[in-house]
Amino acid sequence: MRFRNILVSTCSFFLLASFGIQTEPAPQRGGAATFAKAQAGRRDGFIVLLRLRYDLFARWKATGKWPDDQTANAALDGHVKYWDEQVRTGNALLAGGMKGDYWDNVAMIIIDAPTEAAASAIVNGDPAVKAYVFQAQIRPFDTQWVSTKYFTGQK
């Protein structure tokens, strides 16, 4: 439950900041709640699910040690640099790996792109996706509302 709360609050902050939603400063404790002003138009986003290639995942889970795979390691280094750049340019809003011991070993990235084709172009530029270290699935995300509960108005 705590992870979900952190994910929701972080997602809310990045979505507000990236979508340019106007907010009022957060109230002091005991004050009245404030809410984001409605946007004039619809805003769609995309969620990217990344799954680590199974042979790497299986070796890692079986031994507790990351496999010594030079090609995969180089691609993962490129992956980190690539998504750092996507954050800097405003394409990537939120990213993280799911915690726990689940079979699908999924990570998630929320990106801001005008179309699914544009989202696909961003994701397919990831060196780890190009090298087949990660499988990527892009899913459209219809933003209905964004909470301002954790938004401080500071950038």
PDB file of all heavy atoms in Angstrom, residues 8-19 21-23 34-37 39 43 141-151:
ATOM      1  N   VAL A   8       1.507   6.954  -6.700  1.00  0.00           N
ATOM      2  CA  VAL A   8       0.430   7.885  -7.044  1.00  0.00           C
ATOM      3  C   VAL A   8       0.875   9.321  -6.826  1.00  0.00           C
ATOM      4  O   VAL A   8       0.669  10.185  -7.670  1.00  0.00           O
ATOM      5  CB  VAL A   8      -0.850   7.568  -6.243  1.00  0.00           C
ATOM      6  CG1 VAL A   8      -1.867   8.688  -6.368  1.00  0.00           C
ATOM      7  CG2 VAL A   8      -1.447   6.259  -6.710  1.00  0.00           C
ATOM      8  N   SER A   9       1.542   9.601  -5.704  1.00  0.00           N
ATOM      9  CA  SER A   9       1.956  10.978  -5.437  1.00  0.00           C
ATOM     10  C   SER A   9       3.025  11.433  -6.414  1.00  0.00           C
ATOM     11  O   SER A   9       2.980  12.551  -6.917  1.00  0.00           O
ATOM     12  CB  SER A   9       2.436  11.126  -3.993  1.00  0.00           C
ATOM     13  OG  SER A   9       3.584  10.357  -3.766  1.00  0.00           O
ATOM     14  N   THR A  10       3.982  10.583  -6.732  1.00  0.00           N
ATOM     15  CA  THR A  10       5.023  10.944  -7.677  1.00  0.00           C
ATOM     16  C   THR A  10       4.432  11.134  -9.061  1.00  0.00           C
ATOM     17  O   THR A  10       4.747  12.106  -9.757  1.00  0.00           O
ATOM     18  CB  THR A  10       6.114   9.852  -7.714  1.00  0.00           C
ATOM     19  OG1 THR A  10       6.603   9.671  -6.386  1.00  0.00           O
ATOM     20  CG2 THR A  10       7.258  10.262  -8.618  1.00  0.00           C
ATOM     21  N   CYS A  11       3.564  10.225  -9.458  1.00  0.00           N
ATOM     22  CA  CYS A  11       2.910  10.319 -10.757  1.00  0.00           C
ATOM     23  C   CYS A  11       2.117  11.616 -10.855  1.00  0.00           C
ATOM     24  O   CYS A  11       2.178  12.319 -11.858  1.00  0.00           O
ATOM     25  CB  CYS A  11       2.003   9.112 -10.967  1.00  0.00           C
ATOM     26  SG  CYS A  11       1.185   9.095 -12.552  1.00  0.00           S
ATOM     27  N   SER A  12       1.397  11.952  -9.796  1.00  0.00           N
ATOM     28  CA  SER A  12       0.593  13.170  -9.785  1.00  0.00           C
ATOM     29  C   SER A  12       1.466  14.392  -9.995  1.00  0.00           C
ATOM     30  O   SER A  12       1.161  15.263 -10.804  1.00  0.00           O
ATOM     31  CB  SER A  12      -0.156  13.304  -8.463  1.00  0.00           C
ATOM     32  OG  SER A  12      -1.057  12.254  -8.299  1.00  0.00           O
ATOM     33  N   PHE A  13       2.586  14.454  -9.279  1.00  0.00           N
ATOM     34  CA  PHE A  13       3.478  15.601  -9.411  1.00  0.00           C
ATOM     35  C   PHE A  13       3.992  15.735 -10.838  1.00  0.00           C
ATOM     36  O   PHE A  13       3.923  16.809 -11.432  1.00  0.00           O
ATOM     37  CB  PHE A  13       4.658  15.471  -8.441  1.00  0.00           C
ATOM     38  CG  PHE A  13       5.688  16.539  -8.654  1.00  0.00           C
ATOM     39  CD1 PHE A  13       5.470  17.817  -8.162  1.00  0.00           C
ATOM     40  CD2 PHE A  13       6.838  16.283  -9.376  1.00  0.00           C
ATOM     41  CE1 PHE A  13       6.406  18.807  -8.372  1.00  0.00           C
ATOM     42  CE2 PHE A  13       7.768  17.272  -9.587  1.00  0.00           C
ATOM     43  CZ  PHE A  13       7.559  18.541  -9.081  1.00  0.00           C
ATOM     44  N   PHE A  14       4.496  14.651 -11.414  1.00  0.00           N
ATOM     45  CA  PHE A  14       5.056  14.721 -12.752  1.00  0.00           C
ATOM     46  C   PHE A  14       3.989  14.998 -13.806  1.00  0.00           C
ATOM     47  O   PHE A  14       4.227  15.721 -14.756  1.00  0.00           O
ATOM     48  CB  PHE A  14       5.821  13.441 -13.099  1.00  0.00           C
ATOM     49  CG  PHE A  14       7.160  13.390 -12.451  1.00  0.00           C
ATOM     50  CD1 PHE A  14       7.406  12.511 -11.423  1.00  0.00           C
ATOM     51  CD2 PHE A  14       8.173  14.242 -12.845  1.00  0.00           C
ATOM     52  CE1 PHE A  14       8.630  12.467 -10.807  1.00  0.00           C
ATOM     53  CE2 PHE A  14       9.409  14.210 -12.227  1.00  0.00           C
ATOM     54  CZ  PHE A  14       9.637  13.322 -11.214  1.00  0.00           C
ATOM     55  N   LEU A  15       2.824  14.422 -13.644  1.00  0.00           N
ATOM     56  CA  LEU A  15       1.759  14.692 -14.606  1.00  0.00           C
ATOM     57  C   LEU A  15       1.336  16.155 -14.545  1.00  0.00           C
ATOM     58  O   LEU A  15       1.137  16.798 -15.567  1.00  0.00           O
ATOM     59  CB  LEU A  15       0.563  13.783 -14.353  1.00  0.00           C
ATOM     60  CG  LEU A  15       0.756  12.332 -14.771  1.00  0.00           C
ATOM     61  CD1 LEU A  15      -0.421  11.488 -14.299  1.00  0.00           C
ATOM     62  CD2 LEU A  15       0.934  12.200 -16.255  1.00  0.00           C
ATOM     63  N   LEU A  16       1.212  16.696 -13.358  1.00  0.00           N
ATOM     64  CA  LEU A  16       0.847  18.106 -13.228  1.00  0.00           C
ATOM     65  C   LEU A  16       1.895  19.001 -13.859  1.00  0.00           C
ATOM     66  O   LEU A  16       1.580  19.907 -14.629  1.00  0.00           O
ATOM     67  CB  LEU A  16       0.701  18.475 -11.744  1.00  0.00           C
ATOM     68  CG  LEU A  16      -0.536  17.968 -11.044  1.00  0.00           C
ATOM     69  CD1 LEU A  16      -0.396  18.192  -9.544  1.00  0.00           C
ATOM     70  CD2 LEU A  16      -1.763  18.657 -11.563  1.00  0.00           C
ATOM     71  N   ALA A  17       3.133  18.741 -13.522  1.00  0.00           N
ATOM     72  CA  ALA A  17       4.212  19.582 -14.034  1.00  0.00           C
ATOM     73  C   ALA A  17       4.324  19.483 -15.546  1.00  0.00           C
ATOM     74  O   ALA A  17       4.474  20.475 -16.241  1.00  0.00           O
ATOM     75  CB  ALA A  17       5.529  19.181 -13.370  1.00  0.00           C
ATOM     76  N   SER A  18       4.234  18.279 -16.079  1.00  0.00           N
ATOM     77  CA  SER A  18       4.450  18.102 -17.510  1.00  0.00           C
ATOM     78  C   SER A  18       3.261  18.537 -18.341  1.00  0.00           C
ATOM     79  O   SER A  18       3.421  18.981 -19.466  1.00  0.00           O
ATOM     80  CB  SER A  18       4.770  16.650 -17.817  1.00  0.00           C
ATOM     81  OG  SER A  18       3.652  15.851 -17.564  1.00  0.00           O
ATOM     82  N   PHE A  19       2.071  18.426 -17.817  1.00  0.00           N
ATOM     83  CA  PHE A  19       0.899  18.799 -18.585  1.00  0.00           C
ATOM     84  C   PHE A  19       0.538  20.268 -18.379  1.00  0.00           C
ATOM     85  O   PHE A  19      -0.436  20.757 -18.904  1.00  0.00           O
ATOM     86  CB  PHE A  19      -0.301  17.927 -18.214  1.00  0.00           C
ATOM     87  CG  PHE A  19      -0.165  16.495 -18.671  1.00  0.00           C
ATOM     88  CD1 PHE A  19      -0.953  15.515 -18.112  1.00  0.00           C
ATOM     89  CD2 PHE A  19       0.733  16.127 -19.654  1.00  0.00           C
ATOM     90  CE1 PHE A  19      -0.853  14.199 -18.528  1.00  0.00           C
ATOM     91  CE2 PHE A  19       0.837  14.818 -20.068  1.00  0.00           C
ATOM     92  CZ  PHE A  19       0.052  13.852 -19.509  1.00  0.00           C
ATOM     93  N   ILE A  21      -0.659  21.878 -15.803  1.00  0.00           N
ATOM     94  CA  ILE A  21      -1.886  22.146 -15.061  1.00  0.00           C
ATOM     95  C   ILE A  21      -1.607  23.233 -14.031  1.00  0.00           C
ATOM     96  O   ILE A  21      -0.611  23.185 -13.314  1.00  0.00           O
ATOM     97  CB  ILE A  21      -2.409  20.862 -14.379  1.00  0.00           C
ATOM     98  CG1 ILE A  21      -2.792  19.860 -15.457  1.00  0.00           C
ATOM     99  CG2 ILE A  21      -3.562  21.165 -13.445  1.00  0.00           C
ATOM    100  CD1 ILE A  21      -3.170  18.503 -14.921  1.00  0.00           C
ATOM    101  N   GLN A  22      -2.472  24.227 -13.965  1.00  0.00           N
ATOM    102  CA  GLN A  22      -2.323  25.324 -13.024  1.00  0.00           C
ATOM    103  C   GLN A  22      -2.790  24.874 -11.648  1.00  0.00           C
ATOM    104  O   GLN A  22      -3.852  24.284 -11.512  1.00  0.00           O
ATOM    105  CB  GLN A  22      -3.154  26.521 -13.485  1.00  0.00           C
ATOM    106  CG  GLN A  22      -2.772  27.028 -14.850  1.00  0.00           C
ATOM    107  CD  GLN A  22      -1.377  27.596 -14.869  1.00  0.00           C
ATOM    108  OE1 GLN A  22      -0.983  28.313 -13.957  1.00  0.00           O
ATOM    109  NE2 GLN A  22      -0.615  27.273 -15.890  1.00  0.00           N
ATOM    110  N   THR A  23      -2.017  25.188 -10.631  1.00  0.00           N
ATOM    111  CA  THR A  23      -2.423  24.845  -9.280  1.00  0.00           C
ATOM    112  C   THR A  23      -2.227  26.041  -8.365  1.00  0.00           C
ATOM    113  O   THR A  23      -1.501  26.972  -8.677  1.00  0.00           O
ATOM    114  CB  THR A  23      -1.606  23.678  -8.705  1.00  0.00           C
ATOM    115  OG1 THR A  23      -0.247  24.086  -8.633  1.00  0.00           O
ATOM    116  CG2 THR A  23      -1.732  22.440  -9.549  1.00  0.00           C
ATOM    117  N   THR A  34      -7.081  22.474  -2.064  1.00  0.00           N
ATOM    118  CA  THR A  34      -7.120  23.154  -3.355  1.00  0.00           C
ATOM    119  C   THR A  34      -7.013  22.108  -4.440  1.00  0.00           C
ATOM    120  O   THR A  34      -6.490  21.020  -4.226  1.00  0.00           O
ATOM    121  CB  THR A  34      -5.959  24.156  -3.497  1.00  0.00           C
ATOM    122  OG1 THR A  34      -4.738  23.445  -3.345  1.00  0.00           O
ATOM    123  CG2 THR A  34      -6.047  25.266  -2.473  1.00  0.00           C
ATOM    124  N   PHE A  35      -7.514  22.432  -5.612  1.00  0.00           N
ATOM    125  CA  PHE A  35      -7.529  21.471  -6.694  1.00  0.00           C
ATOM    126  C   PHE A  35      -7.006  22.114  -7.964  1.00  0.00           C
ATOM    127  O   PHE A  35      -7.074  23.328  -8.129  1.00  0.00           O
ATOM    128  CB  PHE A  35      -8.945  20.941  -6.918  1.00  0.00           C
ATOM    129  CG  PHE A  35      -9.487  20.241  -5.721  1.00  0.00           C
ATOM    130  CD1 PHE A  35     -10.251  20.911  -4.788  1.00  0.00           C
ATOM    131  CD2 PHE A  35      -9.186  18.916  -5.495  1.00  0.00           C
ATOM    132  CE1 PHE A  35     -10.725  20.270  -3.664  1.00  0.00           C
ATOM    133  CE2 PHE A  35      -9.653  18.263  -4.377  1.00  0.00           C
ATOM    134  CZ  PHE A  35     -10.423  18.936  -3.454  1.00  0.00           C
ATOM    135  N   ALA A  36      -6.536  21.279  -8.866  1.00  0.00           N
ATOM    136  CA  ALA A  36      -6.054  21.779 -10.149  1.00  0.00           C
ATOM    137  C   ALA A  36      -7.217  22.352 -10.944  1.00  0.00           C
ATOM    138  O   ALA A  36      -8.333  21.878 -10.859  1.00  0.00           O
ATOM    139  CB  ALA A  36      -5.406  20.643 -10.935  1.00  0.00           C
ATOM    140  N   LYS A  37      -6.915  23.390 -11.695  1.00  0.00           N
ATOM    141  CA  LYS A  37      -7.920  23.937 -12.597  1.00  0.00           C
ATOM    142  C   LYS A  37      -8.025  23.007 -13.789  1.00  0.00           C
ATOM    143  O   LYS A  37      -7.036  22.441 -14.239  1.00  0.00           O
ATOM    144  CB  LYS A  37      -7.511  25.337 -13.034  1.00  0.00           C
ATOM    145  CG  LYS A  37      -7.484  26.315 -11.860  1.00  0.00           C
ATOM    146  CD  LYS A  37      -7.016  27.669 -12.296  1.00  0.00           C
ATOM    147  CE  LYS A  37      -6.919  28.575 -11.091  1.00  0.00           C
ATOM    148  NZ  LYS A  37      -6.314  29.848 -11.423  1.00  0.00           N
ATOM    149  N   GLN A  39      -8.205  21.448 -17.431  1.00  0.00           N
ATOM    150  CA  GLN A  39      -7.553  21.749 -18.699  1.00  0.00           C
ATOM    151  C   GLN A  39      -8.610  21.974 -19.761  1.00  0.00           C
ATOM    152  O   GLN A  39      -9.681  21.373 -19.722  1.00  0.00           O
ATOM    153  CB  GLN A  39      -6.659  20.583 -19.118  1.00  0.00           C
ATOM    154  CG  GLN A  39      -5.408  20.543 -18.349  1.00  0.00           C
ATOM    155  CD  GLN A  39      -4.322  19.836 -19.105  1.00  0.00           C
ATOM    156  OE1 GLN A  39      -3.337  19.553 -18.526  1.00  0.00           O
ATOM    157  NE2 GLN A  39      -4.453  19.564 -20.367  1.00  0.00           N
ATOM    158  N   ARG A  43      -6.141  15.235 -22.533  1.00  0.00           N
ATOM    159  CA  ARG A  43      -4.713  14.951 -22.488  1.00  0.00           C
ATOM    160  C   ARG A  43      -4.526  13.454 -22.394  1.00  0.00           C
ATOM    161  O   ARG A  43      -4.951  12.830 -21.438  1.00  0.00           O
ATOM    162  CB  ARG A  43      -4.103  15.633 -21.274  1.00  0.00           C
ATOM    163  CG  ARG A  43      -2.621  15.627 -21.254  1.00  0.00           C
ATOM    164  CD  ARG A  43      -2.115  16.469 -22.399  1.00  0.00           C
ATOM    165  NE  ARG A  43      -0.689  16.378 -22.512  1.00  0.00           N
ATOM    166  CZ  ARG A  43       0.061  17.368 -22.913  1.00  0.00           C
ATOM    167  NH1 ARG A  43      -0.472  18.514 -23.246  1.00  0.00           N
ATOM    168  NH2 ARG A  43       1.355  17.209 -23.015  1.00  0.00           N
ATOM    169  N   PHE A 141      -3.032   5.693 -22.307  1.00  0.00           N
ATOM    170  CA  PHE A 141      -3.502   6.004 -20.960  1.00  0.00           C
ATOM    171  C   PHE A 141      -4.375   7.250 -21.033  1.00  0.00           C
ATOM    172  O   PHE A 141      -3.919   8.314 -21.441  1.00  0.00           O
ATOM    173  CB  PHE A 141      -2.299   6.235 -20.040  1.00  0.00           C
ATOM    174  CG  PHE A 141      -2.671   6.457 -18.604  1.00  0.00           C
ATOM    175  CD1 PHE A 141      -3.078   5.396 -17.824  1.00  0.00           C
ATOM    176  CD2 PHE A 141      -2.586   7.716 -18.048  1.00  0.00           C
ATOM    177  CE1 PHE A 141      -3.414   5.589 -16.488  1.00  0.00           C
ATOM    178  CE2 PHE A 141      -2.921   7.918 -16.716  1.00  0.00           C
ATOM    179  CZ  PHE A 141      -3.328   6.850 -15.936  1.00  0.00           C
ATOM    180  N   ASP A 142      -5.629   7.123 -20.685  1.00  0.00           N
ATOM    181  CA  ASP A 142      -6.589   8.221 -20.731  1.00  0.00           C
ATOM    182  C   ASP A 142      -6.600   8.895 -19.366  1.00  0.00           C
ATOM    183  O   ASP A 142      -7.145   8.369 -18.404  1.00  0.00           O
ATOM    184  CB  ASP A 142      -7.969   7.662 -21.090  1.00  0.00           C
ATOM    185  CG  ASP A 142      -9.018   8.739 -21.243  1.00  0.00           C
ATOM    186  OD1 ASP A 142      -8.651   9.928 -21.285  1.00  0.00           O
ATOM    187  OD2 ASP A 142     -10.202   8.389 -21.328  1.00  0.00           O
ATOM    188  N   THR A 143      -5.986  10.047 -19.271  1.00  0.00           N
ATOM    189  CA  THR A 143      -5.909  10.769 -18.006  1.00  0.00           C
ATOM    190  C   THR A 143      -7.264  11.396 -17.692  1.00  0.00           C
ATOM    191  O   THR A 143      -7.722  12.261 -18.422  1.00  0.00           O
ATOM    192  CB  THR A 143      -4.826  11.862 -18.072  1.00  0.00           C
ATOM    193  OG1 THR A 143      -3.598  11.255 -18.456  1.00  0.00           O
ATOM    194  CG2 THR A 143      -4.659  12.553 -16.742  1.00  0.00           C
ATOM    195  N   GLN A 144      -7.883  10.958 -16.614  1.00  0.00           N
ATOM    196  CA  GLN A 144      -9.172  11.486 -16.195  1.00  0.00           C
ATOM    197  C   GLN A 144      -9.019  12.650 -15.218  1.00  0.00           C
ATOM    198  O   GLN A 144      -9.742  13.613 -15.279  1.00  0.00           O
ATOM    199  CB  GLN A 144     -10.017  10.388 -15.549  1.00  0.00           C
ATOM    200  CG  GLN A 144     -10.368   9.270 -16.489  1.00  0.00           C
ATOM    201  CD  GLN A 144     -11.260   9.737 -17.626  1.00  0.00           C
ATOM    202  OE1 GLN A 144     -12.184  10.497 -17.426  1.00  0.00           O
ATOM    203  NE2 GLN A 144     -10.952   9.298 -18.828  1.00  0.00           N
ATOM    204  N   TRP A 145      -8.111  12.507 -14.280  1.00  0.00           N
ATOM    205  CA  TRP A 145      -7.857  13.559 -13.300  1.00  0.00           C
ATOM    206  C   TRP A 145      -6.491  13.331 -12.686  1.00  0.00           C
ATOM    207  O   TRP A 145      -5.944  12.241 -12.764  1.00  0.00           O
ATOM    208  CB  TRP A 145      -8.923  13.614 -12.209  1.00  0.00           C
ATOM    209  CG  TRP A 145      -9.134  12.306 -11.503  1.00  0.00           C
ATOM    210  CD1 TRP A 145     -10.051  11.360 -11.813  1.00  0.00           C
ATOM    211  CD2 TRP A 145      -8.388  11.785 -10.397  1.00  0.00           C
ATOM    212  NE1 TRP A 145      -9.937  10.286 -10.970  1.00  0.00           N
ATOM    213  CE2 TRP A 145      -8.920  10.527 -10.084  1.00  0.00           C
ATOM    214  CE3 TRP A 145      -7.335  12.243  -9.639  1.00  0.00           C
ATOM    215  CZ2 TRP A 145      -8.432   9.742  -9.050  1.00  0.00           C
ATOM    216  CZ3 TRP A 145      -6.842  11.460  -8.609  1.00  0.00           C
ATOM    217  CH2 TRP A 145      -7.405  10.233  -8.315  1.00  0.00           C
ATOM    218  N   VAL A 146      -5.966  14.368 -12.095  1.00  0.00           N
ATOM    219  CA  VAL A 146      -4.680  14.287 -11.409  1.00  0.00           C
ATOM    220  C   VAL A 146      -4.828  15.011 -10.076  1.00  0.00           C
ATOM    221  O   VAL A 146      -5.259  16.163 -10.032  1.00  0.00           O
ATOM    222  CB  VAL A 146      -3.562  14.951 -12.241  1.00  0.00           C
ATOM    223  CG1 VAL A 146      -2.236  14.907 -11.495  1.00  0.00           C
ATOM    224  CG2 VAL A 146      -3.429  14.280 -13.596  1.00  0.00           C
ATOM    225  N   SER A 147      -4.490  14.346  -9.009  1.00  0.00           N
ATOM    226  CA  SER A 147      -4.570  14.941  -7.682  1.00  0.00           C
ATOM    227  C   SER A 147      -3.451  15.960  -7.497  1.00  0.00           C
ATOM    228  O   SER A 147      -2.349  15.785  -7.994  1.00  0.00           O
ATOM    229  CB  SER A 147      -4.425  13.847  -6.623  1.00  0.00           C
ATOM    230  OG  SER A 147      -4.236  14.425  -5.343  1.00  0.00           O
ATOM    231  N   THR A 148      -3.732  17.011  -6.771  1.00  0.00           N
ATOM    232  CA  THR A 148      -2.706  17.995  -6.422  1.00  0.00           C
ATOM    233  C   THR A 148      -2.279  17.847  -4.961  1.00  0.00           C
ATOM    234  O   THR A 148      -1.609  18.711  -4.433  1.00  0.00           O
ATOM    235  CB  THR A 148      -3.225  19.428  -6.658  1.00  0.00           C
ATOM    236  OG1 THR A 148      -4.380  19.622  -5.848  1.00  0.00           O
ATOM    237  CG2 THR A 148      -3.543  19.653  -8.114  1.00  0.00           C
ATOM    238  N   LYS A 149      -2.661  16.749  -4.349  1.00  0.00           N
ATOM    239  CA  LYS A 149      -2.399  16.573  -2.919  1.00  0.00           C
ATOM    240  C   LYS A 149      -0.925  16.794  -2.565  1.00  0.00           C
ATOM    241  O   LYS A 149      -0.622  17.397  -1.539  1.00  0.00           O
ATOM    242  CB  LYS A 149      -2.833  15.182  -2.478  1.00  0.00           C
ATOM    243  CG  LYS A 149      -2.627  14.935  -1.009  1.00  0.00           C
ATOM    244  CD  LYS A 149      -3.175  13.592  -0.587  1.00  0.00           C
ATOM    245  CE  LYS A 149      -2.956  13.371   0.904  1.00  0.00           C
ATOM    246  NZ  LYS A 149      -3.523  12.106   1.333  1.00  0.00           N
ATOM    247  N   TYR A 150       0.004  16.309  -3.388  1.00  0.00           N
ATOM    248  CA  TYR A 150       1.418  16.407  -3.064  1.00  0.00           C
ATOM    249  C   TYR A 150       2.154  17.451  -3.889  1.00  0.00           C
ATOM    250  O   TYR A 150       3.355  17.542  -3.839  1.00  0.00           O
ATOM    251  CB  TYR A 150       2.090  15.041  -3.237  1.00  0.00           C
ATOM    252  CG  TYR A 150       1.487  14.012  -2.325  1.00  0.00           C
ATOM    253  CD1 TYR A 150       0.561  13.104  -2.784  1.00  0.00           C
ATOM    254  CD2 TYR A 150       1.832  13.972  -0.975  1.00  0.00           C
ATOM    255  CE1 TYR A 150      -0.002  12.156  -1.940  1.00  0.00           C
ATOM    256  CE2 TYR A 150       1.273  13.049  -0.128  1.00  0.00           C
ATOM    257  CZ  TYR A 150       0.352  12.137  -0.619  1.00  0.00           C
ATOM    258  OH  TYR A 150      -0.203  11.233   0.224  1.00  0.00           O
ATOM    259  N   PHE A 151       1.437  18.232  -4.643  1.00  0.00           N
ATOM    260  CA  PHE A 151       2.056  19.227  -5.494  1.00  0.00           C
ATOM    261  C   PHE A 151       2.327  20.490  -4.695  1.00  0.00           C
ATOM    262  O   PHE A 151       1.429  21.041  -4.071  1.00  0.00           O
ATOM    263  CB  PHE A 151       1.152  19.537  -6.685  1.00  0.00           C
ATOM    264  CG  PHE A 151       1.792  20.456  -7.688  1.00  0.00           C
ATOM    265  CD1 PHE A 151       2.834  20.010  -8.478  1.00  0.00           C
ATOM    266  CD2 PHE A 151       1.357  21.752  -7.834  1.00  0.00           C
ATOM    267  CE1 PHE A 151       3.428  20.848  -9.397  1.00  0.00           C
ATOM    268  CE2 PHE A 151       1.947  22.593  -8.746  1.00  0.00           C
ATOM    269  CZ  PHE A 151       2.985  22.147  -9.531  1.00  0.00           C
TER     270      PHE A 151
END
